[in-house]
């Protein structure tokens, strides 16, 4: 957590490092890939049971999330029209996506908290519906 926040400081989303995701998925001719993107190539939705959702299940540490942006498709980059065509027409997608800002740019990680003695405080406040977010850390 010292990487994300300095004591008394705030997370700087503008200068946050980018997380780059490399994804390779395939489909049959009359199937979709199971995700929706905007005209700006931002992932809007990942459909349950789709090819991208299956990729995410098998690649938890490089899972694609809504808000990630496609920056390359099958060798095409810097040409939104050709990238959109590849996303619609190709049966195999070799994609590069970026997660540009926020703490999520660091990916998903796990940790274990253990009390040294029964009743001892852990030194942090955890919150969040459906998961845990570190709200604060104390000395």
């Amino acid at each position: 957590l010292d990487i994300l926040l300095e004591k008394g400081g705030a997370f700087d989303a503008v200068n946050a490092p980018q997380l780059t995701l490399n994804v390779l998925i395939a489909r049959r001719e009359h199937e979709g890939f199971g995700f929706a993107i905007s005209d700006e190539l931002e992932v809007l939705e990942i459909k349950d049971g789709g090819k991208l959702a299956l990729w995410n299940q098998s690649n938890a540490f490089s899972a694609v999330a809504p808000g990630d942006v496609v920056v390359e498709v099958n060798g095409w980059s810097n040409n939104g029209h050709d990238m959109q065509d590849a996303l619609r027409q190709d049966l195999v997608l070799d994609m590069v996506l970026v997660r540009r800002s926020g703490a999520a740019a660091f990916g998903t990680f796990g940790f274990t908290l253990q009390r040294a003695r029964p009743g001892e405080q852990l030194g942090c406040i955890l919150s969040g519906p459906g998961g845990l977010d570190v709200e604060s850390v104390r000395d």
Side-chain angles (χ1 to χ4, degrees), residues 3-13:
I3 294 171
L4 296 177
L5 300 172
E6 295 180 14
K7 290 185 181 182
F11 183 76
D12 182 359

Side-chain angles (χ1 to χ4, degrees), residues 23 25 27-29 31-43 52 69-74 76 79-97:
V23 176
I25 53 177
R27 67 177 176 92
R28 293 190 177 117
E29 190 160 342
E31 292 179 323
F33 288 106
F35 67 101
I37 60 167
S38 70
D39 291 339
E40 292 78 29
L41 301 172
E42 178 180 340
V43 176
L52 188 56
V69 178
V70 179
V71 295
E72 182 178 318
V73 181
N74 296 344
W76 293 102
N79 186 326
H81 179 73
D82 289 332
M83 292 167 64
Q84 290 274 6
D85 285 348
L87 288 164
R88 279 192 301 275
Q89 298 170 6
D90 293 359
L91 298 179
V92 175
L93 296 181
D94 186 357
M95 300 186 293
V96 177
L97 298 95

Side-chain angles (χ1 to χ4, degrees), residues 1 108-113 122 124-136:
L1 291 177
T108 303
F109 61 92
F111 61 91
T112 302
L113 294 174
L122 294 173
C124 62
I125 297 174
L126 304 173
S127 66
L132 294 178
D133 296 319
V134 177
E135 193 173 289
S136 66

Side-chain angles (χ1 to χ4, degrees), residues 19 21 53-64 99 107-109:
L19 175 67
L21 307 166
L54 294 173
W55 164 271
N56 281 350
Q57 289 174 0
S58 298
N59 299 276
F61 291 106
S62 58
V64 176
R99 185 166 299 151
T108 303
F109 61 92

